[in-house]
Amino acid sequence: MSQSPESPVRFGVVGTGWRAAFFVRLARLRPDALQLAGVVSRSPDKARRLGWEVPVFGAVDEMIAQTDPAFVISSVTWDANPEVLEKVVAAGVAVLSETPPAPDLPALKELWNRVGDSGLVQVAEQYPLMPMHAARLEATRRGLIGTPTSVHVSSTHQYHAIALIRAFLGAGLGDVQVRASTSSAPLLDPMTRAGLRKDPGPHPATTTIATLDFGPGRSGLYDFTDNQWHNRLRSRRLLVRGTHGEINDESVIRWDGRVLTSPLLRRQSGYDLDLEGYDSEWIALDGQLLWENPFVGLRLPDEEIAILTQMLAMAAWRRGEGPAPYPLAEACHDHAVSLAVEQAAVTGETVEVSGVPWTS
């Protein structure tokens, strides 16, 4: 990589799917910091139809050789991702991988054995960076509820939910014991990522509930119903309990010589006669700012704020100006625990995540 500190950080993208388009579109909102140098696609015609107006390559090594990117984003299928990561690392280039970095536990272990020691692989786990989660995490770091002891997540699934639970607990890469069960019940399901369904049901929906034991004084509760991301008939909930209080969705209860309850307040411009435009500006607790939007004026929804935050963190890391955004070991542990949830739900047995290579 040969770039001056003042120039945008060049990056490449492998893949042309739905999520890859997020990265490209968001990078173009910050041309001062990020520059798309090239795209790798098995279907060059599709890549050109997307109108990204950058060179399209048929192979990873070809793109790297001709564009000299500071990092590459791998946005391909679960099964294809490990091979892409290995090729980028073999070229000595950093890579930001989509979640999860490999499909199953054997593939995670094999991937780690091949590229884990390189220190070049980061993973695009955006959930802890979403505005309200980031504000809650900051409240937790400031000790407002004491030492976190348990986390209940009911909003997203698998590795994303595990990433949130571990982040709030500060659980690291230690051993985890998992117990889980499932149940099925009819549920209207009117919405998907593509829009309204023609037949909303009710259809059978499976709910998975798991308890996670991270050791003395630290536990998690995983609670997810099929399509809960898009089904507005099921709310999203997050509860973080600590030694001195709790964060319950957007309310903080804590001890300060007395019991205090305060809301997490978001400043949202664009309502009523506010002519500043629709945007999230900050989240505060009793007048103390916990999160500020670094992209005011871009009118981004929460998830896109999180994704762009991670892309800029990746760029800063490659410049030597910031920490690694989300190392491969963290993402491997997230997915290993989520796979244990699935296994425990099927077998009815306690599953332990321990002795995995990325914890050494």
Side-chain angles (χ1 to χ4, degrees):
M1 180 183 71
S2 55
Q3 295 182 232
S4 69
E6 296 79 19
S7 62
V9 172
R10 290 194 300 276
F11 72 98
V13 172
V14 182
T16 54
W18 178 77
R19 183 60 73 175
F22 270 75
F23 293 114
V24 173
R25 178 167 49 82
L26 291 171
R28 288 183 168 172
L29 298 176
R30 286 297 305 270
D32 59 310
L34 296 164
Q35 179 186 7
L36 179 61
V39 174
V40 178
S41 175
R42 291 181 299 180
S43 175
D45 290 340
K46 177 184 177 182
R48 294 186 182 97
R49 287 197 303 271
L50 291 171
W52 291 351
E53 298 177 354
V54 293
V56 179
F57 302 92
V60 172
D61 51 359
E62 181 185 0
M63 188 262 288
I64 291 174
Q66 295 194 34
T67 65
D68 188 25
F71 66 93
V72 171
I73 296 176
S74 176
S75 187
V76 296
T77 64
W78 289 14
D79 291 332
N81 196 49
E83 182 180 358
V84 172
L85 301 187
E86 290 175 31
K87 287 182 178 179
V88 177
V89 169
V93 177
V95 58
L96 181 64
S97 167
E98 262 288 20
T99 53
D104 53 34
L105 189 57
L108 286 173
K109 291 179 178 179
E110 183 178 358
L111 177 65
W112 179 262
N113 290 334
R114 293 189 177 187
V115 303
D117 289 339
S118 71
L120 291 172
V121 183
Q122 304 294 312
V123 178
E125 178 51 69
Q126 78 274 22
Y127 272 78
L129 298 173
M130 294 178 72
M132 191 56 74
H133 289 321
R136 296 178 182 119
L137 280 165
E138 180 61 23
T140 304
R141 293 187 190 106
R142 293 185 187 183
L144 297 183
I145 61 169
T147 301
T149 56
S150 68
V151 181
H152 177 184
V153 174
S154 182
S155 62
T156 187
H157 80 328
Q158 295 180 335
Y159 35 86
H160 294 311
I162 304 304
L164 286 172
I165 291 171
R166 292 199 311 110
F168 280 105
L169 289 176
L173 305 179
D175 297 349
V176 188
Q177 288 189 334
V178 180
R179 300 171 181 84
S181 63
T182 62
S183 61
S184 181
L187 175 65
L188 281 173
D189 195 10
M191 182 77 70
T192 71
R193 190 172 73 189
L196 289 172
R197 291 183 188 272
K198 292 182 179 179
D199 175 19
H203 299 294
T206 297
T207 295
T208 301
I209 295 179
T211 57
L212 314 175
D213 185 348
F214 293 89
R218 293 185 303 183
S219 64
L221 180 62
Y222 173 100
D223 180 357
F224 183 75
T225 299
D226 289 346
N227 197 39
Q228 191 169 341
W229 323 277
H230 303 293
N231 192 335
R232 296 175 187 174
L233 298 174
R234 288 294 178 265
S235 61
R236 302 174 183 87
R237 301 187 304 281
L238 186 134
L239 174 66
V240 184
R241 286 182 163 159
T243 57
H244 291 61
E246 67 180 29
I247 301 172
N248 185 7
D249 291 334
E250 297 180 10
S251 178
V252 180
I253 302 170
R254 62 203 186 280
W255 177 257
D256 184 20
R258 63 189 66 79
V259 176
L260 301 177
T261 302
S262 306
L264 290 166
L265 294 177
R266 182 192 292 238
R267 159 63 183 168
Q268 193 79 38
S269 63
Y271 287 115
D272 196 33
L273 296 179
D274 186 338
L275 303 182
E276 297 177 42
Y278 193 75
D279 222 337
S280 293
E281 295 187 0
W282 44 256
I283 298 172
L285 178 78
D286 291 339
Q288 297 183 44
L289 289 181
L290 298 177
W291 174 84
E292 290 186 81
N293 187 358
F295 311 120
V296 171
L298 296 184
R299 322 297 182 206
L300 297 177
D302 284 2
E303 185 165 6
E304 294 186 9
I305 289 173
I307 294 170
L308 184 52
T309 297
Q310 189 163 60
M311 292 177 72
L312 292 179
M314 188 76 179
W317 174 57
R318 297 314 297 152
R319 287 190 189 276
E321 298 172 354
Y326 205 79
L328 177 62
E330 300 286 338
C332 285
H333 214 58
D334 292 339
H335 195 32
V337 176
S338 75
L339 291 167
V341 169
E342 295 178 358
Q343 181 182 347
V346 170
T347 65
E349 299 176 350
T350 299
V351 178
E352 184 167 356
V353 178
S354 63
V356 285
W358 49 83
T359 63
S360 59

